């Protein structure tokens, strides 16, 4: 991260003139605010995050047949040094109350994530996850323009522990600003995103002696988006100041007249405090690991033994009928299905799951009992139930794009020549407490083979 910011600094210094006294004051404010943030060794913050999408293209992608889509998350973030725990709870979506929970932790060595709905866990010592994190954490918003999202790094979410790291923004010099009345604006080049350069614009109250951005704008031509965030109602923890409310909107880019809003939202701080202590157990997911039905280790690219133990424990407590053949070789099953698919001009639908997996049974029952869906499956697909119990058929899931990274059950679709067309977790196909016939049918039709008229 230090290297990225040094490169950003060096790339811009040649074009930036010497700062005036006012801009030098802004540089001092920036460095002081960063110093004040780094002085916070422990922190606990909670906020609400709402979003509304009105872009027809995005709504179509999300398969929302309404003029807009809205949702509200409740986020929390707890940190001590570089250890942290991030939690997101979906409390409303299109007016329907849900209780979906996603968490991620870093205990100083291992990053862990857990999704309550699928009871799927992942672990890695290499990369920090985005699960449970919000891109609009009020604590980090004054430094949002230092996000390094790019074509190479993908979308990133800054964590407060990033900001408090010793090398964060070390040596960065802010560019010369333009002043209009009492507003000072600076512009910074961003990373390459969507194969095109991005740009940041940040405005400040020129008369304020603290580093408190008024607006932060990110222009991403490659994403056809211009996002403007207003940072409001500043509060503080110790000497560090941050907004207690954020209001943002994304506009289509290039600009239209009048401007076209594609999405908008707000962030409202609930609580923020510096706790007296933070026990190390906060930064682990021990209870969740005991109930997880799958635990994927990204370092070795395989499921851990703990997942097998958890699966066995759950299966013993909740005996279910056997819908997967635990002795069958997945490669052999698929080879036979491909022969049939070739002969009947069909595609092959792979259903990865296990007999202990309750959601797998729910999906299987849905496929068999929903008349419209079962007819579509019979007409255009050859279905294969691939058993994943205790690491069974791991080579098969890896060969076909590792769809089980989404948790179980997971789907993959092949054409009759054994070409992988798509992989799919089943979460996007759900509605309320079951599967949406419309979403499932749309998914199956989208990947069905073309039939001769």
């Amino acid at each position: 991260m230090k290297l990225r910011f040094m490169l950003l600094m060096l790339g811009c210094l040649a074009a930036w003139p010497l700062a005036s006294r006012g801009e030098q004051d802004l540089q001092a404010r920036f460095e002081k605010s960063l110093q004040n943030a780094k002085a916070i060794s422990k922190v606990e913050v909670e906020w609400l995050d709402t979003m509304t999408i009105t872009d027809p293209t995005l709504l179509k992608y999300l398969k929302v047949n309404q003029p807009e889509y809205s949702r509200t998350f409740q986020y929390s973030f707890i940190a001590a040094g570089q250890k942290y725990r991030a939690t997101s709870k979906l409390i409303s979506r299109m007016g329907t109350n849900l209780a979906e929970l996603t968490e991620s932790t870093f205990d100083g060595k291992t990053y862990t994530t857990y999704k309550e709905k699928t009871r799927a866990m992942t672990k890695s010592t290499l990369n920090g996850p985005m699960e449970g994190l919000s891109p609009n954490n009020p604590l980090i918003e004054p430094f949002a323009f230092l996000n390094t999202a790019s074509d190479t790094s993908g979308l990133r979410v800054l964590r407060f522990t990033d900001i408090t790291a010793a090398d964060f923004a070390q040596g960065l010099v802010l560019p010369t600003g333009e002043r209009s009345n009492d507003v000072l604006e600076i512009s910074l080049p961003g990373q390459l995103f969507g194969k095109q350069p991005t740009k940041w614009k940040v405005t400040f109250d020129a008369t304020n002696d603290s580093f408190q951005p008024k607006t932060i704008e990110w222009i991403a031509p490659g994403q056809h988006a211009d996002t403007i965030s207003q940072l409001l109602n500043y509060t503080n923890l110790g000497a560090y100041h941050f907004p207690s409310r954020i209001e943002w909107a994304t506009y289509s880019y290039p600009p239209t007249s009048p401007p076209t809003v594609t999405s908008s939202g707000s962030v409202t701080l609930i609580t923020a405090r510096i706790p007296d202590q933070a026990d190390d157990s906060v930064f682990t997911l021990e209870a969740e690991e005991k109930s997880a039905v799958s635990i994927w280790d990204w370092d070795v690219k395989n499921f851990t033994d703990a997942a097998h133990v958890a699966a066995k424990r759950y299966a013993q407590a909740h005996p279910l009928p056997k819908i997967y053949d635990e002795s069958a070789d997945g490669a052999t099953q698929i080879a036979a299905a491909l022969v049939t698919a070739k002969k009947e001009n069909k595609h092959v639908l792979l259903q990865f799951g296990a007999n202990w997996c309750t959601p797998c049974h729910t999906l299987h029952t849905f496929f068999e009992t929903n008349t419209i869906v079962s007819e579509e499956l019979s007409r255009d697909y050859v279905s294969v139930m691939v058993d994943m119990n205790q690491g069974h058929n791991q080579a098969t899931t890896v060969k076909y794009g590792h769809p089980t990274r989404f948790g179980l059950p997971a789907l993959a679709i092949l054409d009759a020549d054994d070409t992988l067309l798509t992989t799919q977790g089943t979460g996007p196909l759900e509605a309320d407490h079951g599967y949406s016939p419309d979403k499932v049918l749309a998914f199956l039709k989208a990947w069905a083979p073309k039939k001769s008229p």
Side-chain angles (χ1 to χ4, degrees):
M1 183 175 290
K2 178 180 178 181
L3 177 60
R4 288 181 180 174
F5 286 112
M6 290 299 291
L7 289 174
L8 172 62
M9 179 189 74
L10 292 173
C12 298
L13 279 179
W16 290 340
L18 292 175
S20 68
R21 182 179 181 86
E23 283 76 52
Q24 288 174 345
D25 179 62
L26 180 63
Q27 177 70 26
R29 285 190 266 163
F30 166 75
E31 293 175 359
K32 182 63 175 178
S33 180
L34 193 56
Q35 179 183 345
N36 291 337
K38 293 177 185 293
I40 301 176
S41 60
K42 294 184 290 291
V43 71
E44 184 174 347
V45 61
E46 189 174 14
W47 67 97
L48 289 177
D49 185 317
T50 67
M51 179 180 70
T52 299
I53 296 173
T54 54
D55 179 23
T57 302
L58 188 52
L59 290 172
K60 183 177 180 181
Y61 174 79
L62 294 172
K63 297 181 174 62
V64 175
N65 297 318
Q66 297 189 39
E68 67 177 38
Y69 168 90
S70 62
R71 59 89 175 132
T72 299
F73 276 101
Q74 181 171 320
Y75 285 96
S76 66
F77 185 84
I78 305 171
Q82 288 300 294
K83 299 178 181 180
Y84 73 85
R85 183 181 189 128
T87 303
S88 66
K89 183 178 181 181
L90 182 60
I91 59 174
S92 69
R93 179 175 66 193
M94 300 297 289
T96 302
N97 289 329
L98 300 172
E100 297 183 357
L101 191 69
T102 301
E103 295 189 273
S104 66
T105 61
F106 178 62
D107 63 4
K109 179 181 178 182
T110 302
Y111 295 98
T112 305
T113 73
Y114 181 73
K115 296 182 178 181
E116 182 185 62
K117 191 167 187 177
T118 58
R119 295 167 63 197
M121 178 172 282
T122 66
K123 291 189 172 186
S124 173
T125 60
L126 305 175
N127 297 305
M130 290 178 60
E131 284 86 353
L133 292 164
S134 164
N136 295 315
N137 183 337
L139 283 177
I140 60 93
E141 195 66 17
F143 299 105
F145 61 94
L146 297 180
N147 194 311
T148 56
S150 68
D151 285 335
T152 54
S153 67
L155 288 172
R156 290 193 73 251
V157 175
L158 277 177
R159 297 161 298 210
F160 190 64
T161 50
D162 294 330
I163 293 173
T164 57
D167 61 350
F168 182 81
Q170 188 174 22
L172 176 66
V173 177
L174 297 180
T176 300
E178 295 183 4
R179 181 164 178 166
S180 176
N181 296 323
D182 290 333
V183 176
L184 180 68
E185 179 181 292
I186 62 172
S187 297
L188 301 93
Q191 304 289 327
L192 199 68
F193 206 89
K195 299 182 180 180
Q196 294 189 46
T198 61
K199 183 178 182 179
W200 293 93
K201 292 183 179 180
V202 189
T203 66
F204 303 86
D205 181 345
T207 65
N208 196 323
D209 60 358
S210 296
F211 185 78
Q212 299 180 16
K214 292 167 62 71
T215 64
I216 297 179
E217 179 177 6
W218 186 48
I219 303 172
Q223 298 294 307
H224 307 290
D226 181 358
T227 301
I228 303 176
S229 299
Q230 297 185 67
L231 285 61
L232 308 169
N233 304 336
Y234 272 80
T235 185
N236 68 287
L237 283 175
Y240 178 59
H241 294 265
F242 59 96
S244 62
R245 183 167 176 82
I246 304 163
E247 296 177 357
W248 63 269
T250 296
Y251 302 88
S252 61
Y253 189 90
T256 60
S257 183
T260 302
V261 179
T262 59
S263 59
S264 60
S266 64
V267 170
T268 303
L269 183 69
I270 299 175
T271 60
R273 69 187 190 97
I274 298 176
D276 293 333
Q277 60 182 14
D279 191 87
D280 281 348
S281 63
V282 172
F283 308 111
T284 65
L285 295 172
E286 293 181 1
E288 289 78 5
E289 183 167 341
K290 292 178 181 178
S291 64
V293 295
S294 66
I295 304 175
W296 177 261
D297 189 329
W298 280 108
D299 293 356
V300 299
K301 293 183 172 57
N302 207 337
F303 288 99
T304 68
D305 290 338
H308 306 155
V309 173
K312 185 179 294 184
R313 183 188 305 113
Y314 186 83
Q316 290 172 346
H318 305 81
L320 295 167
K322 294 187 179 298
I323 57 176
Y324 293 86
D325 185 347
E326 297 180 355
S327 64
D329 175 65
T332 302
Q333 290 177 291
I334 295 170
L338 289 169
V339 172
T340 302
K342 187 76 126 179
K343 187 182 302 182
E344 299 179 2
N345 187 23
K346 295 181 178 181
H347 284 170
V348 176
L349 176 68
L350 307 183
Q351 300 176 51
F352 294 92
N355 289 319
W356 44 259
C357 169
T358 302
C360 299
H361 284 264
T362 302
L363 179 66
H364 179 64
T365 301
F366 175 79
F367 278 168
E368 287 196 331
T369 59
N370 186 282
T371 304
I372 298 177
V373 171
S374 63
E375 288 178 354
E376 172 62 25
L377 283 171
S378 177
R379 180 170 54 252
D380 290 325
Y381 291 92
V382 180
S383 295
V384 181
M385 305 280 286
V386 183
D387 174 60
M388 300 302 299
N389 184 46
Q390 297 191 13
H392 190 205
N393 290 315
Q394 282 303 306
T396 301
T397 185
V398 171
K399 177 181 178 181
Y400 295 111
H402 183 41
T404 52
R405 68 186 184 277
F406 301 116
L408 298 179
L411 305 173
I413 294 179
L414 319 175
D415 67 14
D417 294 320
D418 198 23
T419 299
L420 177 65
L421 301 179
T422 189
T423 58
Q424 174 78 61
T426 59
L429 305 179
E430 297 174 6
D432 297 327
H433 300 291
Y435 290 97
S436 164
D438 291 340
K439 291 180 180 180
V440 173
L441 194 61
F443 170 71
L444 295 175
K445 285 184 175 295
W447 297 102
K450 295 181 179 179
K451 302 289 187 178
S452 300

